[in-house]
């Protein structure tokens, strides 16, 4: 049994008209191999996560679905699949408050591996499932909602297209009915990883191509019309590297940002790769981030300030063979800061998504924490990448590579067999809390105005509390002070609306306070002792 950590970190202020930033780290799963591949904030401010689970379910590995509250508290879990291997790689909340999950199945379908699309209600009850593919191997990487209420899926097919693997893109209606299917690629292997709808109603896709470009493998960018017809395609890379476009997003200026990995095939060392283009796919700039060992970029998104978050996992930094890796840049790709998350064993991050408070929800798997050999690992950060524990600030190295682009004559074909099936369901999972932070700028409906001056202080400070909205007498208000490990170090009672706190034997550092009356917490916040 691994050590279970709990650190109480209440980095709160009492600003009355700002938004909370709750942070935490959690692990979910059983005693076997359980992983997370995709997470998203839900309309109720909670989170939905999908992945694969071997601890529970009907087969060797089943699709794992977890719903949690805004503070990471487990609400329910579901498993879906058959007697073989089934995984959920991507999830989105749908317009009816339910969820759409895309992954790969060997339990159902027409071939060895098929695309697996599941629609469930808001409580996880299955509504319908579909498979797409042929007699070969077809692997799904991602699903996104489309403007018409349907779905766009991307992956890789060996059932259709030309020789070897091709990028496989499927468009469905809102009930999973196939509308069209396309393959893109050449005579060598080509892989599809990410797709999204563009402002003009078409689609943009990214992946990796060996058929085209100038390197061992190049990042591959494909622009399509709304009916899947090719508009243009681009490759990006260097002649001596393998370059992957794992994630794609349209940017605020109408261009595109690609996140992925670049690595020399001989050494195996890699860097996180960031590529920015204009709306026609013309290269504007590119950057790499990492250290002296392999580092991998899996997910890209534009931040609220116009910069970018790119996440994945790293061997160069952190405490284990792999740790979650998060890089923040400004709008031109210049490094702002970077973070690692994890423990001393092995932790890999796959999905990084923005939340409404400006932070991020991150998921992957951990072998450092939890109750099994691997557990699903979920991290909620604030807008600066802080989560509360198990994190470092690495010295990321940035380079500007000499990237080359080509305009390949991408070949397009179509194909797809659709199957309907009944999902088998189960449930299970143990929740492990690694740390929890009750948020910055919380208690916007606080019953009192609380002023501490000076803050920071070196010897003493005055705490002043205004009248409460509920007219609670100040004499009934209790003040508690905690250190960063959640240990109570001071407890005082108010006699009027002012209280003097002295340093005494307290060491320099950050402390967290809580005001409460006899029935509820009135306010919380942070005090710094110099």
């Amino acid at each position: 049994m691994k050590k279970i950590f709990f650190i109480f970190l209440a980095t709160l202020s009492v600003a009355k008209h700002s938004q909370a930033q709750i942070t935490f780290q959690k692990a979910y799963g059983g005693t076997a191999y359980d992983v997370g591949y995709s997470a998203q904030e839900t309309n109720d401010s909670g989170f939905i996560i999908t992945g694969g689970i071997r601890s529970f379910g009907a087969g060797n590995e089943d699709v794992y679905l977890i719903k949690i509250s805004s503070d990471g508290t487990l609400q329910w879990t579901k498993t879906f699949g058959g007697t073989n291997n089934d995984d959920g790689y991507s999830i989105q909340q749908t317009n009816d408050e339910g969820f759409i999950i895309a992954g790969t199945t060997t339990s159902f379908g027409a071939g060895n591996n098929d695309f697996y699309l599941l629609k469930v209600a808001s409580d996880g009850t299955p509504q319908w499932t579909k498979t797409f593919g042929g007699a070969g191997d077809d692997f799904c990487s991602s699903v996104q909602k489309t403007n018409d209420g349907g779905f766009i899926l991307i992956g890789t097919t060996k059932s259709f297209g030309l020789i070897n693997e091709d990028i496989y893109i499927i468009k469905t209606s809102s009930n999973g009915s196939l509308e069209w299917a396309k393959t893109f690629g050449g005579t060598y292997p080509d892989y599809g990883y990410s797709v999204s709808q563009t402002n003009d109603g078409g689609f943009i896709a990214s992946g990796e191509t060996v058929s085209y470009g100038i390197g061992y493998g190049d990042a591959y960018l494909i622009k399509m019309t709304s009916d899947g017809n090719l508009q243009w395609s681009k490759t990006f890379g260097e002649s001596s590297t393998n370059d992957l476009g794992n994630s794609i997003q349209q940017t605020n200026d109408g261009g595109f940002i690609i996140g992925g990995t670049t690595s020399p095939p001989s050494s195996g060392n890699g860097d996180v790769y960031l590529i920015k283009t204009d709306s026609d796919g013309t290269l504007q700039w590119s950057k790499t981030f990492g250290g002296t060992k392999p580092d991998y970029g899996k997910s890209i998104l534009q931040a609220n300030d116009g910069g970018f978050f790119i996440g994945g996992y790293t061997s160069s930094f952190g405490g284990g063979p792999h740790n979650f890796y998060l890089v923040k840049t400004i709008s031109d790709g210049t490094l702002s800061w970077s973070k690692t998350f994890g423990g001393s064993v092995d932790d890999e991050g796959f999905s990084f998504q923005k939340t409404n408070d400006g932070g991020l929800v991150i998921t992957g798997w951990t072998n450092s924490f939890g109750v099994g050999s691997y557990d699903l690992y979920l991290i909620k950060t604030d807008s600066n990448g802080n989560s509360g524990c198990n994190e470092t600030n690495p010295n990321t190295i940035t380079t500007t590579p000499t990237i080359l682009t080509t305009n390949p004559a991408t070949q397009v074909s179509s194909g797809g067999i659709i199957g309907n099936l009944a999902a088998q369901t189960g449930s299970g999972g143990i929740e492990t809390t690694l740390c929890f932070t009750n948020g910055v700028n919380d208690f916007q409906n606080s019953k009192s105005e609380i002023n501490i001056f000076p803050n920071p202080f070196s010897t003493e400070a005055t705490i002043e509390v205004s009248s409460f909205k509920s007219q609670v007498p100040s004499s009934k208000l209790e003040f508690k002070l905690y250190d960063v490990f959640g240990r109570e170090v001071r407890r005082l009672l108010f006699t009027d609306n002012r209280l003097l706190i002295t340093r005494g034997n307290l060491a320099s550092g950050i402390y967290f306070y809580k005001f409460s009356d006899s029935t509820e917490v009135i306010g919380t916040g942070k005090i710094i002792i110099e």
Side-chain angles (χ1 to χ4, degrees):
M1 180 72 68
K2 299 182 180 73
K3 184 182 291 184
I4 297 177
F5 298 87
F6 179 82
I7 299 177
F8 174 80
L9 293 175
T11 53
L12 303 178
S13 78
V14 290
K16 294 178 64 177
H17 300 289
S18 52
Q19 193 173 31
Q21 286 192 298
I22 295 174
T23 69
F24 56 80
Q25 290 191 19
K26 301 273 187 172
Y28 305 91
T31 57
Y33 178 86
D34 310 309
V35 298
Y37 292 119
S38 180
Q40 185 190 41
E41 187 174 24
T42 50
N43 295 338
D44 62 359
S45 298
F47 302 95
I48 192 76
I49 312 106
T50 194
I53 186 167
R54 295 186 180 180
S55 296
F56 312 98
N60 294 328
E61 186 164 347
D62 275 7
V63 174
Y64 197 19
L65 183 63
I66 300 176
K67 177 65 175 70
I68 64 174
S69 64
S70 60
D71 63 0
T73 301
L74 185 64
Q75 294 178 306
W76 49 259
T77 64
K78 301 282 185 177
T79 67
F80 304 89
T83 56
N84 294 321
N85 291 327
D86 311 291
D87 286 288
Y89 294 130
S90 182
I91 192 162
Q92 293 256 294
Q93 189 162 31
T94 50
N95 297 338
D96 62 358
E97 303 296 320
F99 305 102
I100 191 76
I101 310 160
T104 299
T105 178
T106 59
S107 297
F108 313 108
N112 297 319
N113 288 277
D114 272 5
F115 280 32
Y116 193 23
L117 188 64
L118 304 93
K119 174 66 172 67
V120 302
S122 59
D123 62 356
T125 301
Q127 295 176 308
W128 51 258
T129 56
K130 304 282 184 178
T131 66
F132 303 91
D137 282 318
D138 307 295
F139 298 94
C140 184
S141 302
S142 179
V143 64
Q144 295 287 316
K145 293 186 298 183
T146 53
N147 296 339
D148 60 2
F151 307 103
I152 189 81
L153 295 83
I154 189 171
T156 304
T157 180
K158 292 188 73 173
S159 298
F160 312 107
L162 301 177
I163 304 171
N164 298 304
E165 294 90 345
D166 272 0
I167 293 175
Y168 193 25
I169 299 177
I170 291 173
K171 173 68 173 66
T172 79
S173 66
S174 59
N175 63 5
S177 298
L178 179 66
E179 294 184 343
W180 51 259
K182 301 284 185 177
T183 70
F184 301 87
T187 55
Y188 293 98
D190 306 295
Y191 308 94
Y193 300 134
S194 179
V195 66
S196 62
Q197 193 156 32
T198 50
N199 296 337
D200 62 1
F203 301 97
I204 192 76
S206 69
E208 178 190 10
T209 178
V210 183
S211 297
Y212 310 110
I214 49 88
Y216 294 88
D218 276 9
Y220 198 15
L221 186 63
I222 297 171
K223 177 66 175 68
M224 295 161 282
T225 62
S226 59
D227 55 4
N229 291 324
L230 178 69
Q231 290 182 287
W232 49 259
S233 58
K234 302 278 185 178
T235 71
F236 305 89
E238 298 178 88
S239 59
S240 59
T241 58
N242 282 329
D243 307 300
L244 286 71
N246 287 326
S247 182
I248 182 75
Q249 186 183 58
Q250 189 161 32
T251 51
N252 297 339
D253 62 1
F256 303 102
I257 191 75
I258 308 167
T261 304
T262 178
S263 61
S266 56
S267 69
N269 290 338
D271 279 335
V272 173
Y273 203 18
L274 192 60
I275 300 168
K276 175 68 174 68
T277 80
D278 64 13
S279 59
D280 296 322
T282 301
L283 177 68
Q284 294 181 309
W285 50 259
S286 62
K287 300 284 183 181
T288 71
F289 306 93
T292 57
K293 296 179 181 179
D295 307 299
Y296 307 89
K298 292 292 185 179
S299 188
I300 186 70
L301 54 154
Q302 189 157 30
N304 293 342
D305 62 3
F308 302 99
F309 293 108
I310 182 167
Y313 53 94
T314 175
S315 299
S316 297
F317 314 110
H322 289 133
N323 270 188
F324 284 31
Y325 190 31
L326 175 62
V327 174
K328 172 66 172 63
T329 77
I330 62 175
S331 59
D332 64 358
T334 302
L335 178 69
S336 295
W337 48 259
S338 58
K339 294 276 188 180
T340 71
F341 308 92
S344 60
V345 189
D346 211 4
D347 313 289
E348 295 186 5
F350 297 104
S351 171
F352 297 69
Q353 294 293 325
K354 283 194 302 185
T355 53
N356 291 331
D357 63 2
L360 296 173
V361 58
I362 308 168
T363 194
W365 54 256
T366 177
N367 199 19
S368 298
F369 314 114
V371 298
S373 56
Y374 290 90
D375 268 14
L376 186 151
Y377 193 15
L378 189 73
I379 299 172
K380 169 64 176 67
T381 79
D382 63 17
S383 55
N384 294 314
N386 300 310
S387 66
C389 63
N390 305 317
E391 63 186 52
T392 68
N393 300 287
N395 295 317
T396 291
I397 302 167
T398 306
T399 70
T400 302
T402 304
I403 190 171
L404 302 175
T405 66
T406 68
N407 301 284
T410 294
Q411 302 184 53
V412 184
S413 65
S414 61
I417 300 171
I418 186 168
N420 301 298
L421 54 118
Q424 301 179 35
T425 63
S427 63
I430 300 168
E431 178 187 58
T432 304
T433 299
L434 309 179
C435 56
F436 173 71
T437 302
N438 224 1
V440 176
N441 298 330
D442 204 356
F443 286 90
Q444 51 191 318
N445 295 316
S446 175
K447 292 185 176 181
S448 64
E449 295 283 359
I450 303 170
N451 298 303
I452 301 175
F453 51 91
N455 188 15
F457 74 93
S458 57
T459 57
E460 62 182 34
T462 299
I463 303 169
E464 185 177 73
V465 183
S466 71
S467 60
F468 305 124
K469 295 176 184 177
S470 61
Q471 304 301 313
V472 176
S474 59
S475 60
K476 298 293 185 180
L477 187 64
E478 186 177 53
F479 171 88
K480 292 181 181 180
L481 191 67
Y482 301 86
D483 65 15
V484 295
F485 297 102
R487 299 175 299 203
E488 184 182 314
V489 296
R490 193 71 57 84
R491 180 184 297 196
L492 300 167
L493 284 174
F494 275 75
T495 56
D496 53 34
N497 69 332
R498 284 195 176 193
L499 181 68
L500 184 69
I501 181 171
T502 59
R503 177 190 188 120
N505 62 352
L506 297 177
S508 300
I510 299 174
Y511 294 83
F512 305 95
Y513 61 81
K514 179 171 70 174
F515 291 97
S516 60
D517 59 23
S518 58
T519 60
E520 62 179 320
V521 174
I522 303 299
T524 63
K526 178 171 63 177
I527 293 178
I528 299 174
I529 299 180
E530 296 178 320

